[in-house]
């Protein structure tokens, strides 16, 4: 018995001596782990090891992804600075404007590659913009020609260039994507710079689903327009409030074919409640960050007396407010009460998913803010599909036409500021507010 035990001890000792270096390393690592255990755990929780999981509200396809994603995936020939002026992006070395501002000659920077590894050349530029022609002159030079003066062109060229399968030129590439009922359900982005963390987007149909996803831990960051009271008491939750003035605005669009009297439209504007926060208040369709913004337009602050004065010789039997977003119902109710109190006629609120733009009275909804101050699509009388108010004003038409044909920015600013003045005087829309956005972030 003793001999067997002694033999096993000798065998173990022989094995230990033979593998002494490996055994020493093992014990050294084991001791180091216990000494630096907390530091190792903290390091494993650094952001680069965990993807940033962001929840977004909306239904998206490859063709209409939100700008915060497309800008990560790629770039256009231009980019928009903080004053909404187009400047050359990192793709462009230089641009020459010739032929009375109808030819734009872009010289591209070399050694830029798509996420797939293929070299980026002028033959890859495939913008689908009506009225322009794209002609590659060489691999690094491309000419973009307009049929007529078209000053918004450089702003339109800021749209990120993305090939099929999300092949882009930006800092991130798509590593995984899932779909549900034809819409994107999840989208994973992988950074080209390995020191940055992965980003995972999850998409939800409405704010309620988005908030629920945050509560159960499916996402770490969400953006919502209305803050539930309970979030103020949540631990490890950071709340940031911003007013976004570059994406959209809320307004009451008036069907000018049904309400043709400018005095009635102005009366409605004076009888409409407006936000008290000056930063939230919207005065027109041009962003206050734009170089062309006019802050001196008629504001139509709430004034029941002035509204009644304008309306005294007019007549309306009833008025229907159409809403296509349930989040605007409380605002619609507030407007309804104010109009009924001021004018005495009944106001009805209708919720419609598919709005008949040929047969509405007033429409409470969102308007898009364009990067360039060009507003031709929305207010020119010839644009029957996008001019939803059907405003037909020769002075406004002329200013919109001149704005597109003028390349001198000082002159363009004068034109668009005058346009904003006349548009507010005609009151085809009652501009209300910019959205307040609460960013909810889970603290680690």
């Amino acid at each position: 018995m003793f001999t067997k035990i002694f033999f096993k001890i000798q065998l173990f000792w022989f094995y230990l001596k033979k593998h002494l270096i490996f055994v020493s390393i093992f014990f050294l690592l084991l001791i180091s782990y216990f000494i630096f255990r907390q530091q190792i755990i903290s390091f494993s929780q650094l952001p680069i090891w965990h993807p940033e999981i962001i929840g977004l509200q909306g239904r998206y396809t490859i063709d209409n992804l939100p700008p915060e994603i497309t800008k990560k995936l790629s770039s256009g020939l231009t980019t928009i600075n903080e004053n909404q002026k187009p400047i050359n992006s990192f793709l462009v070395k230089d641009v020459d404007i010739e032929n009375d501002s109808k030819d734009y000659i872009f010289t591209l920077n070399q050694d830029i590659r798509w996420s797939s590894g293929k070299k980026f050349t002028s033959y890859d530029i495939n913008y689908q913009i009506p009225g322009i022609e794209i002609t590659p002159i060489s691999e690094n030079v491309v000419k973009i020609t307009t049929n007529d003066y078209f000053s918004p062109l450089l702003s339109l060229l800021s749209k990120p260039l993305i090939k099929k399968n999300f092949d882009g030129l930006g800092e991130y590439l798509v590593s995984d994507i899932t779909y549900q009922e034809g819409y994107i359900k999840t989208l994973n982005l992988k950074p080209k710079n390995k020191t940055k963390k992965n980003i995972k987007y999850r998409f939800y149909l409405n704010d309620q689903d988005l908030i629920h996803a945050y509560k159960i831990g499916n996402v770490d960051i969400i953006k919502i327009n209305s803050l539930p009271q309970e979030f103020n008491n949540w631990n490890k939750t950071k709340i940031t409030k911003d007013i976004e003035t570059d994406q959209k605005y809320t307004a009451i669009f008036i069907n000018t074919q049904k309400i043709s009297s400018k005095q009635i439209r102005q009366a409605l504007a004076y009888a409409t409640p407006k936000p008290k926060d000056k930063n939230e208040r919207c005065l027109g369709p041009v962003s206050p960050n734009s170089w062309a913004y006019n802050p001196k337009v008629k504001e139509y602050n709430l004034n029941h007396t002035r509204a009644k004065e304008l309306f005294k010789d007019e007549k309306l039997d009833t008025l229907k407010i159409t809403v296509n977003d349930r989040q605007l119902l409380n605002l619609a109710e507030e407007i309804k009460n104010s109009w009924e109190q001021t004018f005495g006629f009944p106001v009805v609120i209708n919720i419609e998913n598919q709005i008949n733009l040929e047969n509405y009275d007033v429409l409470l909804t969102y308007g898009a803010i364009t990067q360039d101050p060009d507003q031709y699509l929305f207010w020119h009388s010839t644009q029957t599909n996008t001019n939803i108010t059907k405003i037909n004003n020769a002075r406004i038409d002329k200013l919109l036409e001149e704005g597109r044909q003028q390349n001198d920015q000082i002159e363009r600013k004068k034109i668009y500021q005058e346009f904003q003045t006349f548009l507010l005087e005609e009151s085809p829309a009652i501009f209300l507010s910019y959205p307040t956005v609460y960013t909810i972030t889970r603290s680690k």
Side-chain angles (χ1 to χ4, degrees), residues 101 104 148-152 291 372 399-416:
S101 300
Y104 294 75
D148 204 346
Y149 298 108
F150 189 59
S151 49
W291 50 269
D372 188 270
L399 289 168
L400 291 172
E401 292 160 8
E402 290 175 349
R404 285 189 154 194
Q405 298 169 359
Q406 176 60 254
N407 276 315
D408 183 271
Q409 186 169 299
I410 295 176
E411 292 302 315
R412 284 195 84 202
K413 182 175 182 177
K414 292 178 182 177
I415 291 168
Y416 285 118

PDB file of all heavy atoms in Angstrom, residues 101 104 148-152 291 372 399-416:
ATOM      1  N   SER A 101     -23.204  78.363 -64.345  1.00  0.00           N
ATOM      2  CA  SER A 101     -23.683  77.585 -63.194  1.00  0.00           C
ATOM      3  C   SER A 101     -24.581  76.423 -63.588  1.00  0.00           C
ATOM      4  O   SER A 101     -25.457  76.014 -62.819  1.00  0.00           O
ATOM      5  CB  SER A 101     -24.417  78.501 -62.202  1.00  0.00           C
ATOM      6  OG  SER A 101     -23.569  79.505 -61.733  1.00  0.00           O
ATOM      7  N   TYR A 104     -21.258  71.321 -63.096  1.00  0.00           N
ATOM      8  CA  TYR A 104     -20.505  71.165 -61.847  1.00  0.00           C
ATOM      9  C   TYR A 104     -19.474  70.062 -62.065  1.00  0.00           C
ATOM     10  O   TYR A 104     -19.843  68.898 -62.289  1.00  0.00           O
ATOM     11  CB  TYR A 104     -21.440  70.800 -60.696  1.00  0.00           C
ATOM     12  CG  TYR A 104     -22.429  71.887 -60.329  1.00  0.00           C
ATOM     13  CD1 TYR A 104     -23.538  72.156 -61.128  1.00  0.00           C
ATOM     14  CD2 TYR A 104     -22.257  72.650 -59.185  1.00  0.00           C
ATOM     15  CE1 TYR A 104     -24.444  73.151 -60.796  1.00  0.00           C
ATOM     16  CE2 TYR A 104     -23.162  73.649 -58.834  1.00  0.00           C
ATOM     17  CZ  TYR A 104     -24.251  73.892 -59.653  1.00  0.00           C
ATOM     18  OH  TYR A 104     -25.155  74.874 -59.315  1.00  0.00           O
ATOM     19  N   ASP A 148     -31.244  73.705 -66.372  1.00  0.00           N
ATOM     20  CA  ASP A 148     -31.425  75.130 -66.127  1.00  0.00           C
ATOM     21  C   ASP A 148     -30.726  75.452 -64.814  1.00  0.00           C
ATOM     22  O   ASP A 148     -30.201  74.571 -64.136  1.00  0.00           O
ATOM     23  CB  ASP A 148     -32.917  75.469 -66.040  1.00  0.00           C
ATOM     24  CG  ASP A 148     -33.193  76.934 -66.370  1.00  0.00           C
ATOM     25  OD1 ASP A 148     -32.222  77.728 -66.402  1.00  0.00           O
ATOM     26  OD2 ASP A 148     -34.372  77.272 -66.580  1.00  0.00           O
ATOM     27  N   TYR A 149     -30.702  76.719 -64.447  1.00  0.00           N
ATOM     28  CA  TYR A 149     -30.158  77.090 -63.148  1.00  0.00           C
ATOM     29  C   TYR A 149     -30.891  76.295 -62.071  1.00  0.00           C
ATOM     30  O   TYR A 149     -32.121  76.244 -62.050  1.00  0.00           O
ATOM     31  CB  TYR A 149     -30.349  78.581 -62.878  1.00  0.00           C
ATOM     32  CG  TYR A 149     -29.642  79.489 -63.848  1.00  0.00           C
ATOM     33  CD1 TYR A 149     -30.356  80.209 -64.800  1.00  0.00           C
ATOM     34  CD2 TYR A 149     -28.257  79.634 -63.805  1.00  0.00           C
ATOM     35  CE1 TYR A 149     -29.711  81.052 -65.691  1.00  0.00           C
ATOM     36  CE2 TYR A 149     -27.607  80.471 -64.691  1.00  0.00           C
ATOM     37  CZ  TYR A 149     -28.329  81.179 -65.633  1.00  0.00           C
ATOM     38  OH  TYR A 149     -27.695  81.998 -66.505  1.00  0.00           O
ATOM     39  N   PHE A 150     -30.143  75.699 -61.184  1.00  0.00           N
ATOM     40  CA  PHE A 150     -30.765  74.904 -60.117  1.00  0.00           C
ATOM     41  C   PHE A 150     -29.884  74.983 -58.881  1.00  0.00           C
ATOM     42  O   PHE A 150     -29.091  74.098 -58.594  1.00  0.00           O
ATOM     43  CB  PHE A 150     -30.955  73.464 -60.579  1.00  0.00           C
ATOM     44  CG  PHE A 150     -31.770  72.633 -59.628  1.00  0.00           C
ATOM     45  CD1 PHE A 150     -33.071  72.986 -59.303  1.00  0.00           C
ATOM     46  CD2 PHE A 150     -31.236  71.494 -59.058  1.00  0.00           C
ATOM     47  CE1 PHE A 150     -33.818  72.229 -58.424  1.00  0.00           C
ATOM     48  CE2 PHE A 150     -31.978  70.722 -58.176  1.00  0.00           C
ATOM     49  CZ  PHE A 150     -33.279  71.088 -57.861  1.00  0.00           C
ATOM     50  N   SER A 151     -30.042  76.066 -58.131  1.00  0.00           N
ATOM     51  CA  SER A 151     -29.162  76.329 -56.988  1.00  0.00           C
ATOM     52  C   SER A 151     -29.267  75.315 -55.858  1.00  0.00           C
ATOM     53  O   SER A 151     -28.308  75.166 -55.096  1.00  0.00           O
ATOM     54  CB  SER A 151     -29.412  77.743 -56.448  1.00  0.00           C
ATOM     55  OG  SER A 151     -30.782  77.977 -56.250  1.00  0.00           O
ATOM     56  N   PRO A 152     -30.378  74.565 -55.669  1.00  0.00           N
ATOM     57  CA  PRO A 152     -30.407  73.566 -54.587  1.00  0.00           C
ATOM     58  C   PRO A 152     -29.565  72.320 -54.861  1.00  0.00           C
ATOM     59  O   PRO A 152     -29.485  71.440 -53.993  1.00  0.00           O
ATOM     60  CB  PRO A 152     -31.889  73.190 -54.488  1.00  0.00           C
ATOM     61  CG  PRO A 152     -32.636  74.279 -55.175  1.00  0.00           C
ATOM     62  CD  PRO A 152     -31.719  74.763 -56.249  1.00  0.00           C
ATOM     63  N   TRP A 291     -29.190  79.646 -43.034  1.00  0.00           N
ATOM     64  CA  TRP A 291     -28.680  80.966 -43.400  1.00  0.00           C
ATOM     65  C   TRP A 291     -29.767  81.832 -44.041  1.00  0.00           C
ATOM     66  O   TRP A 291     -29.639  83.051 -44.106  1.00  0.00           O
ATOM     67  CB  TRP A 291     -27.502  80.829 -44.363  1.00  0.00           C
ATOM     68  CG  TRP A 291     -27.782  79.927 -45.535  1.00  0.00           C
ATOM     69  CD1 TRP A 291     -27.549  78.587 -45.620  1.00  0.00           C
ATOM     70  CD2 TRP A 291     -28.364  80.304 -46.793  1.00  0.00           C
ATOM     71  NE1 TRP A 291     -27.952  78.095 -46.838  1.00  0.00           N
ATOM     72  CE2 TRP A 291     -28.450  79.130 -47.579  1.00  0.00           C
ATOM     73  CE3 TRP A 291     -28.821  81.509 -47.322  1.00  0.00           C
ATOM     74  CZ2 TRP A 291     -28.977  79.134 -48.865  1.00  0.00           C
ATOM     75  CZ3 TRP A 291     -29.347  81.510 -48.607  1.00  0.00           C
ATOM     76  CH2 TRP A 291     -29.411  80.335 -49.368  1.00  0.00           C
ATOM     77  N   ASP A 372     -31.904  72.583 -47.929  1.00  0.00           N
ATOM     78  CA  ASP A 372     -31.815  73.832 -48.679  1.00  0.00           C
ATOM     79  C   ASP A 372     -33.114  74.606 -48.473  1.00  0.00           C
ATOM     80  O   ASP A 372     -34.186  73.998 -48.334  1.00  0.00           O
ATOM     81  CB  ASP A 372     -31.613  73.531 -50.173  1.00  0.00           C
ATOM     82  CG  ASP A 372     -31.314  74.785 -50.977  1.00  0.00           C
ATOM     83  OD1 ASP A 372     -32.267  75.435 -51.465  1.00  0.00           O
ATOM     84  OD2 ASP A 372     -30.124  75.115 -51.124  1.00  0.00           O
ATOM     85  N   LEU A 399     -41.133  84.195 -56.550  1.00  0.00           N
ATOM     86  CA  LEU A 399     -40.005  84.149 -55.618  1.00  0.00           C
ATOM     87  C   LEU A 399     -39.394  82.751 -55.567  1.00  0.00           C
ATOM     88  O   LEU A 399     -38.164  82.595 -55.516  1.00  0.00           O
ATOM     89  CB  LEU A 399     -40.471  84.573 -54.225  1.00  0.00           C
ATOM     90  CG  LEU A 399     -40.797  86.063 -54.064  1.00  0.00           C
ATOM     91  CD1 LEU A 399     -41.523  86.310 -52.747  1.00  0.00           C
ATOM     92  CD2 LEU A 399     -39.517  86.899 -54.127  1.00  0.00           C
ATOM     93  N   LEU A 400     -40.230  81.728 -55.592  1.00  0.00           N
ATOM     94  CA  LEU A 400     -39.725  80.362 -55.576  1.00  0.00           C
ATOM     95  C   LEU A 400     -38.949  80.035 -56.845  1.00  0.00           C
ATOM     96  O   LEU A 400     -37.949  79.311 -56.808  1.00  0.00           O
ATOM     97  CB  LEU A 400     -40.884  79.380 -55.390  1.00  0.00           C
ATOM     98  CG  LEU A 400     -41.559  79.406 -54.016  1.00  0.00           C
ATOM     99  CD1 LEU A 400     -42.804  78.531 -54.015  1.00  0.00           C
ATOM    100  CD2 LEU A 400     -40.592  78.956 -52.933  1.00  0.00           C
ATOM    101  N   GLU A 401     -39.399  80.552 -57.965  1.00  0.00           N
ATOM    102  CA  GLU A 401     -38.683  80.345 -59.227  1.00  0.00           C
ATOM    103  C   GLU A 401     -37.337  81.069 -59.219  1.00  0.00           C
ATOM    104  O   GLU A 401     -36.307  80.520 -59.628  1.00  0.00           O
ATOM    105  CB  GLU A 401     -39.545  80.835 -60.394  1.00  0.00           C
ATOM    106  CG  GLU A 401     -40.799  79.995 -60.634  1.00  0.00           C
ATOM    107  CD  GLU A 401     -41.856  80.720 -61.439  1.00  0.00           C
ATOM    108  OE1 GLU A 401     -41.555  81.838 -61.945  1.00  0.00           O
ATOM    109  OE2 GLU A 401     -42.979  80.200 -61.556  1.00  0.00           O
ATOM    110  N   GLU A 402     -37.335  82.311 -58.711  1.00  0.00           N
ATOM    111  CA  GLU A 402     -36.088  83.079 -58.647  1.00  0.00           C
ATOM    112  C   GLU A 402     -35.089  82.443 -57.692  1.00  0.00           C
ATOM    113  O   GLU A 402     -33.882  82.447 -57.953  1.00  0.00           O
ATOM    114  CB  GLU A 402     -36.387  84.514 -58.205  1.00  0.00           C
ATOM    115  CG  GLU A 402     -37.123  85.337 -59.241  1.00  0.00           C
ATOM    116  CD  GLU A 402     -37.500  86.714 -58.715  1.00  0.00           C
ATOM    117  OE1 GLU A 402     -37.375  86.934 -57.483  1.00  0.00           O
ATOM    118  OE2 GLU A 402     -37.920  87.563 -59.529  1.00  0.00           O
ATOM    119  N   GLY A 403     -35.586  81.878 -56.595  1.00  0.00           N
ATOM    120  CA  GLY A 403     -34.698  81.255 -55.625  1.00  0.00           C
ATOM    121  C   GLY A 403     -33.931  80.088 -56.192  1.00  0.00           C
ATOM    122  O   GLY A 403     -32.778  79.838 -55.817  1.00  0.00           O
ATOM    123  N   ARG A 404     -34.545  79.377 -57.132  1.00  0.00           N
ATOM    124  CA  ARG A 404     -33.885  78.233 -57.767  1.00  0.00           C
ATOM    125  C   ARG A 404     -32.894  78.659 -58.849  1.00  0.00           C
ATOM    126  O   ARG A 404     -32.038  77.868 -59.242  1.00  0.00           O
ATOM    127  CB  ARG A 404     -34.925  77.307 -58.405  1.00  0.00           C
ATOM    128  CG  ARG A 404     -35.689  76.461 -57.410  1.00  0.00           C
ATOM    129  CD  ARG A 404     -36.533  75.433 -58.104  1.00  0.00           C
ATOM    130  NE  ARG A 404     -36.764  74.285 -57.218  1.00  0.00           N
ATOM    131  CZ  ARG A 404     -37.244  73.118 -57.623  1.00  0.00           C
ATOM    132  NH1 ARG A 404     -37.542  72.942 -58.899  1.00  0.00           N
ATOM    133  NH2 ARG A 404     -37.409  72.132 -56.768  1.00  0.00           N
ATOM    134  N   GLN A 405     -33.039  79.864 -59.346  1.00  0.00           N
ATOM    135  CA  GLN A 405     -32.221  80.318 -60.469  1.00  0.00           C
ATOM    136  C   GLN A 405     -31.111  81.274 -60.060  1.00  0.00           C
ATOM    137  O   GLN A 405     -30.432  81.843 -60.906  1.00  0.00           O
ATOM    138  CB  GLN A 405     -33.133  80.995 -61.503  1.00  0.00           C
ATOM    139  CG  GLN A 405     -34.174  80.057 -62.099  1.00  0.00           C
ATOM    140  CD  GLN A 405     -35.221  80.789 -62.917  1.00  0.00           C
ATOM    141  OE1 GLN A 405     -35.188  82.003 -63.032  1.00  0.00           O
ATOM    142  NE2 GLN A 405     -36.138  80.032 -63.493  1.00  0.00           N
ATOM    143  N   GLN A 406     -30.934  81.453 -58.756  1.00  0.00           N
ATOM    144  CA  GLN A 406     -29.937  82.403 -58.251  1.00  0.00           C
ATOM    145  C   GLN A 406     -28.878  81.636 -57.458  1.00  0.00           C
ATOM    146  O   GLN A 406     -29.196  80.923 -56.514  1.00  0.00           O
ATOM    147  CB  GLN A 406     -30.618  83.442 -57.362  1.00  0.00           C
ATOM    148  CG  GLN A 406     -29.695  84.428 -56.699  1.00  0.00           C
ATOM    149  CD  GLN A 406     -28.889  85.251 -57.685  1.00  0.00           C
ATOM    150  OE1 GLN A 406     -27.687  85.026 -57.844  1.00  0.00           O
ATOM    151  NE2 GLN A 406     -29.544  86.188 -58.363  1.00  0.00           N
ATOM    152  N   ASN A 407     -27.612  81.776 -57.849  1.00  0.00           N
ATOM    153  CA  ASN A 407     -26.540  81.082 -57.141  1.00  0.00           C
ATOM    154  C   ASN A 407     -25.851  81.954 -56.099  1.00  0.00           C
ATOM    155  O   ASN A 407     -25.167  81.436 -55.219  1.00  0.00           O
ATOM    156  CB  ASN A 407     -25.498  80.564 -58.132  1.00  0.00           C
ATOM    157  CG  ASN A 407     -25.911  79.219 -58.717  1.00  0.00           C
ATOM    158  OD1 ASN A 407     -26.348  78.326 -58.008  1.00  0.00           O
ATOM    159  ND2 ASN A 407     -25.789  79.100 -60.024  1.00  0.00           N
ATOM    160  N   ASP A 408     -26.002  83.265 -56.211  1.00  0.00           N
ATOM    161  CA  ASP A 408     -25.391  84.150 -55.218  1.00  0.00           C
ATOM    162  C   ASP A 408     -26.162  84.025 -53.901  1.00  0.00           C
ATOM    163  O   ASP A 408     -27.370  84.293 -53.841  1.00  0.00           O
ATOM    164  CB  ASP A 408     -25.425  85.596 -55.713  1.00  0.00           C
ATOM    165  CG  ASP A 408     -24.740  86.541 -54.744  1.00  0.00           C
ATOM    166  OD1 ASP A 408     -25.418  87.045 -53.837  1.00  0.00           O
ATOM    167  OD2 ASP A 408     -23.520  86.743 -54.887  1.00  0.00           O
ATOM    168  N   GLN A 409     -25.472  83.605 -52.844  1.00  0.00           N
ATOM    169  CA  GLN A 409     -26.162  83.305 -51.592  1.00  0.00           C
ATOM    170  C   GLN A 409     -26.796  84.539 -50.962  1.00  0.00           C
ATOM    171  O   GLN A 409     -27.870  84.450 -50.352  1.00  0.00           O
ATOM    172  CB  GLN A 409     -25.204  82.657 -50.598  1.00  0.00           C
ATOM    173  CG  GLN A 409     -25.919  82.190 -49.339  1.00  0.00           C
ATOM    174  CD  GLN A 409     -25.064  81.323 -48.473  1.00  0.00           C
ATOM    175  OE1 GLN A 409     -24.628  80.263 -48.874  1.00  0.00           O
ATOM    176  NE2 GLN A 409     -24.800  81.781 -47.259  1.00  0.00           N
ATOM    177  N   ILE A 410     -26.173  85.690 -51.098  1.00  0.00           N
ATOM    178  CA  ILE A 410     -26.746  86.921 -50.529  1.00  0.00           C
ATOM    179  C   ILE A 410     -28.079  87.229 -51.197  1.00  0.00           C
ATOM    180  O   ILE A 410     -29.066  87.579 -50.537  1.00  0.00           O
ATOM    181  CB  ILE A 410     -25.760  88.101 -50.676  1.00  0.00           C
ATOM    182  CG1 ILE A 410     -24.502  87.837 -49.834  1.00  0.00           C
ATOM    183  CG2 ILE A 410     -26.417  89.406 -50.254  1.00  0.00           C
ATOM    184  CD1 ILE A 410     -23.427  88.884 -49.985  1.00  0.00           C
ATOM    185  N   GLU A 411     -28.109  87.089 -52.533  1.00  0.00           N
ATOM    186  CA  GLU A 411     -29.352  87.344 -53.262  1.00  0.00           C
ATOM    187  C   GLU A 411     -30.405  86.281 -52.950  1.00  0.00           C
ATOM    188  O   GLU A 411     -31.589  86.581 -52.821  1.00  0.00           O
ATOM    189  CB  GLU A 411     -29.081  87.393 -54.774  1.00  0.00           C
ATOM    190  CG  GLU A 411     -28.243  88.589 -55.208  1.00  0.00           C
ATOM    191  CD  GLU A 411     -28.894  89.911 -54.803  1.00  0.00           C
ATOM    192  OE1 GLU A 411     -30.125  90.050 -55.014  1.00  0.00           O
ATOM    193  OE2 GLU A 411     -28.185  90.796 -54.299  1.00  0.00           O
ATOM    194  N   ARG A 412     -29.951  85.026 -52.845  1.00  0.00           N
ATOM    195  CA  ARG A 412     -30.892  83.953 -52.486  1.00  0.00           C
ATOM    196  C   ARG A 412     -31.509  84.213 -51.115  1.00  0.00           C
ATOM    197  O   ARG A 412     -32.695  83.971 -50.899  1.00  0.00           O
ATOM    198  CB  ARG A 412     -30.179  82.602 -52.471  1.00  0.00           C
ATOM    199  CG  ARG A 412     -29.885  82.003 -53.822  1.00  0.00           C
ATOM    200  CD  ARG A 412     -29.519  80.530 -53.668  1.00  0.00           C
ATOM    201  NE  ARG A 412     -30.700  79.698 -53.608  1.00  0.00           N
ATOM    202  CZ  ARG A 412     -30.751  78.483 -53.083  1.00  0.00           C
ATOM    203  NH1 ARG A 412     -29.676  77.982 -52.493  1.00  0.00           N
ATOM    204  NH2 ARG A 412     -31.851  77.781 -53.093  1.00  0.00           N
ATOM    205  N   LYS A 413     -30.704  84.682 -50.183  1.00  0.00           N
ATOM    206  CA  LYS A 413     -31.214  84.959 -48.842  1.00  0.00           C
ATOM    207  C   LYS A 413     -32.315  86.014 -48.902  1.00  0.00           C
ATOM    208  O   LYS A 413     -33.365  85.862 -48.249  1.00  0.00           O
ATOM    209  CB  LYS A 413     -30.077  85.418 -47.934  1.00  0.00           C
ATOM    210  CG  LYS A 413     -30.512  85.686 -46.501  1.00  0.00           C
ATOM    211  CD  LYS A 413     -29.323  86.018 -45.615  1.00  0.00           C
ATOM    212  CE  LYS A 413     -29.764  86.244 -44.174  1.00  0.00           C
ATOM    213  NZ  LYS A 413     -28.608  86.509 -43.280  1.00  0.00           N
ATOM    214  N   LYS A 414     -32.102  87.062 -49.684  1.00  0.00           N
ATOM    215  CA  LYS A 414     -33.125  88.102 -49.824  1.00  0.00           C
ATOM    216  C   LYS A 414     -34.415  87.518 -50.386  1.00  0.00           C
ATOM    217  O   LYS A 414     -35.519  87.828 -49.922  1.00  0.00           O
ATOM    218  CB  LYS A 414     -32.615  89.225 -50.738  1.00  0.00           C
ATOM    219  CG  LYS A 414     -31.474  90.037 -50.152  1.00  0.00           C
ATOM    220  CD  LYS A 414     -31.012  91.085 -51.168  1.00  0.00           C
ATOM    221  CE  LYS A 414     -29.838  91.896 -50.635  1.00  0.00           C
ATOM    222  NZ  LYS A 414     -29.342  92.870 -51.639  1.00  0.00           N
ATOM    223  N   ILE A 415     -34.266  86.654 -51.402  1.00  0.00           N
ATOM    224  CA  ILE A 415     -35.435  86.060 -52.050  1.00  0.00           C
ATOM    225  C   ILE A 415     -36.225  85.199 -51.066  1.00  0.00           C
ATOM    226  O   ILE A 415     -37.457  85.329 -50.944  1.00  0.00           O
ATOM    227  CB  ILE A 415     -35.004  85.216 -53.270  1.00  0.00           C
ATOM    228  CG1 ILE A 415     -34.478  86.144 -54.387  1.00  0.00           C
ATOM    229  CG2 ILE A 415     -36.155  84.360 -53.781  1.00  0.00           C
ATOM    230  CD1 ILE A 415     -33.777  85.410 -55.511  1.00  0.00           C
ATOM    231  N   TYR A 416     -35.525  84.334 -50.353  1.00  0.00           N
ATOM    232  CA  TYR A 416     -36.237  83.407 -49.467  1.00  0.00           C
ATOM    233  C   TYR A 416     -36.774  84.092 -48.215  1.00  0.00           C
ATOM    234  O   TYR A 416     -37.790  83.664 -47.657  1.00  0.00           O
ATOM    235  CB  TYR A 416     -35.345  82.220 -49.110  1.00  0.00           C
ATOM    236  CG  TYR A 416     -35.220  81.246 -50.266  1.00  0.00           C
ATOM    237  CD1 TYR A 416     -33.992  80.976 -50.851  1.00  0.00           C
ATOM    238  CD2 TYR A 416     -36.352  80.631 -50.786  1.00  0.00           C
ATOM    239  CE1 TYR A 416     -33.895  80.100 -51.915  1.00  0.00           C
ATOM    240  CE2 TYR A 416     -36.265  79.753 -51.854  1.00  0.00           C
ATOM    241  CZ  TYR A 416     -35.038  79.488 -52.416  1.00  0.00           C
ATOM    242  OH  TYR A 416     -34.948  78.631 -53.490  1.00  0.00           O
TER     243      TYR A 416
END
